[in-house]
Amino acid sequence: DTGVSQDPRHKITKRGQNVTFRCDPISEHNRLYWYRQTLGQGPEFLTYFQNEAQLEKSRLLSDRFSAERPKGSFSTLEIQRTEQGDSAMYLCASSLGSGDEQYFGPGTRLTVT
Amino acid sequence: TQLLEQSPQFLSIQEGENLTVYCNSSSVFSSLQWYRQEPGEGPVLLVTVVTGGEVKKLKRLTFQFGDARKDSSLHITAAQPGDTGLYLCAGVRGNQFYFGTGTSLTVIP
């Protein structure tokens, strides 16, 4: 399968714990995006990378959130000291370049109890 | 708050009926995309419209971009149960994609 993959698909954690999600984009894609989607809403932009450089971050990305793409391939999104309001679907997407079609992964559903 | 508002939020229709979904904003976008998302999956791109007034057809789906590039519509003719899903519009500005609030469509056989 050469699509975008995300791991894990589901994560249940207790409030205050740290969690880390992984995204593997399509191999030749330079751009990688992270979004958050809550029930009944469209995805909200969090951040994006051009190769290994993180070029833009949304105000939604508080200091408890950090994303990396160390070698310009896979990316990780870490949430520290999780809160119940962090419960959402976290989506990753990749594209060849600016303005090109985004291909989304299946998402990681986070539940904070 | 999201820049793009979609209406209706929920739509339940019988197979064979026609429907239109609207995507409105006060902001101008360089292009606008429509996606369909099924439960537990990521959105899948249906179409991208770039020029104000542009109309694109994809089988029974017709997409229109407003003249001022602030709004768009999706019209489905003779809806089928396989059309069931969450329809999302997304406006592109700079390097960011701004998604709409979504329209959940259910087509009843």
Side-chain angles (χ1 to χ4, degrees), chain B residues 3-4 24-29 32 65 68-71 93:
Chain B
L3 284 181
L4 288 158
N24 295 301
S25 177
S26 57
S27 301
V28 176
F29 297 99
L32 195 136
F65 201 10
R69 304 207 313 270
K70 293 182 180 180
D71 51 76
R93 242 182 21 191

Side-chain angles (χ1 to χ4, degrees), chain A residues 9 31 33 35 37 40-45 48 56-57 89 91 98-102 104-107, chain B residues 1-2 9-10 33 35 37 40-45 86 88 92 94-102:
Chain A
R9 293 292 304 272
R31 291 222 164 180
Y33 302 82
Y35 293 87
Q37 184 177 26
Q41 297 293 319
E44 293 175 295
F45 169 81
Y48 89 90
E56 203 160 337
K57 292 195 289 186
M89 174 78 89
L91 291 164
S98 174
D100 290 319
E101 177 180 352
Q102 290 184 96
F104 280 84
Chain B
T1 55
Q2 295 187 262
Q9 187 177 359
F10 298 97
Q33 301 179 328
Y35 293 79
Q37 185 178 22
E41 301 296 328
V44 175
L45 181 67
L86 179 68
L88 295 159
V92 183
N95 295 307
Q96 283 203 30
F97 293 77
Y98 297 88
F99 278 84
T101 47

Side-chain angles (χ1 to χ4, degrees), chain B residues 10-61:
Chain B
F10 298 97
L11 191 54
S12 182
I13 62 170
Q14 294 290 329
E15 182 177 0
E17 292 184 353
N18 301 333
L19 67 116
T20 301
V21 176
Y22 299 93
C23 172
N24 295 301
S25 177
S26 57
S27 301
V28 176
F29 297 99
S30 57
S31 63
L32 195 136
Q33 301 179 328
W34 283 92
Y35 293 79
R36 187 172 79 192
Q37 185 178 22
E38 299 193 14
E41 301 296 328
V44 175
L45 181 67
L46 297 174
V47 77
T48 301
V49 284
V50 180
T51 307
E54 183 176 1
V55 176
K56 279 192 175 178
K57 291 192 175 184
L58 186 67
K59 297 183 181 178
R60 294 176 294 101
L61 278 60

Side-chain angles (χ1 to χ4, degrees), chain A residues 56-103:
Chain A
E56 203 160 337
K57 292 195 289 186
S58 161
R59 294 175 195 172
L60 293 174
L61 214 66
S62 75
D63 55 7
R64 295 185 299 106
F65 288 70
S66 62
E68 293 183 343
R69 193 182 183 198
K71 296 180 181 179
S73 55
F74 74 91
S75 176
T76 57
L77 177 68
E78 181 183 16
I79 309 175
Q80 295 182 326
R81 305 181 302 282
T82 52
E83 302 173 356
Q84 286 188 318
D86 296 332
S87 295
M89 174 78 89
Y90 289 85
L91 291 164
C92 173
S94 71
S95 69
L96 199 57
S98 174
D100 290 319
E101 177 180 352
Q102 290 184 96
Y103 293 83

Side-chain angles (χ1 to χ4, degrees), chain A residues 15 20-21 28 30 32 50 54 66 75-76 86 105 109:
Chain A
R15 186 164 50 97
T20 300
F21 310 140
E28 65 269 23
N30 297 317
L32 188 148
Q50 172 79 27
Q54 188 174 18
S66 62
S75 176
T76 57
D86 296 332
R109 180 164 295 283

